[in-house]
Amino acid sequence: SGAGEPFYPVPTAASQRLYEGYRALAEEETRRHHVFFCGRLAQYRYFNTDEVITEALQYFQQIRQACETANDRSVLSPMLSPASRATTEMAPTVG
């Protein structure tokens, strides 16, 4: 039915403004606390499952390259134990 909240983003001016505010907050979290956002909620758009997996893997590579470029692979270490860091490198979380 047409009632209730939509399951996917509805492109309206109000929703775009709301998304821009959340995007700014996410960028600040990435800069300050090394928290990275990707996927449907982070980009406020629909992804098919195959697209979200590809997107997550590509984004993970960008994060890895940024860490290597900065010559500081410990960027993630304040949040992850050595065991979970190895798991994250093998299988990134998709949101």
Side-chain angles (χ1 to χ4, degrees), residues 5-93:
E5 285 199 45
F7 291 101
Y8 305 107
V10 176
T12 65
S15 64
Q16 186 62 33
R17 284 191 303 275
L18 185 60
Y19 165 69
E20 292 299 329
Y22 284 128
R23 188 171 60 87
L25 289 171
E27 289 173 359
E28 182 66 19
E29 284 297 307
T30 299
R31 273 192 302 278
R32 296 183 72 198
H33 303 289
H34 308 293
V35 176
F36 299 91
F37 299 85
C38 70
R40 294 176 181 184
L41 295 176
Q43 295 184 26
Y44 195 61
R45 74 179 194 95
Y46 178 80
F47 284 97
N48 288 323
T49 301
D50 60 325
E51 293 172 319
V52 80
I53 291 169
T54 299
E55 179 76 17
L57 292 171
Q58 289 172 347
Y59 194 60
F60 178 75
Q61 290 303 324
Q62 291 175 5
I63 294 168
R64 176 182 266 170
Q65 288 174 359
C67 292
E68 289 171 353
T69 299
N71 198 20
D72 182 12
R73 294 193 47 93
S74 66
V75 167
L76 302 176
S77 64
M79 296 167 283
L80 301 174
S81 68
S84 63
R85 196 173 323 126
T87 302
T88 302
E89 289 185 9
M90 298 289 290
T93 302

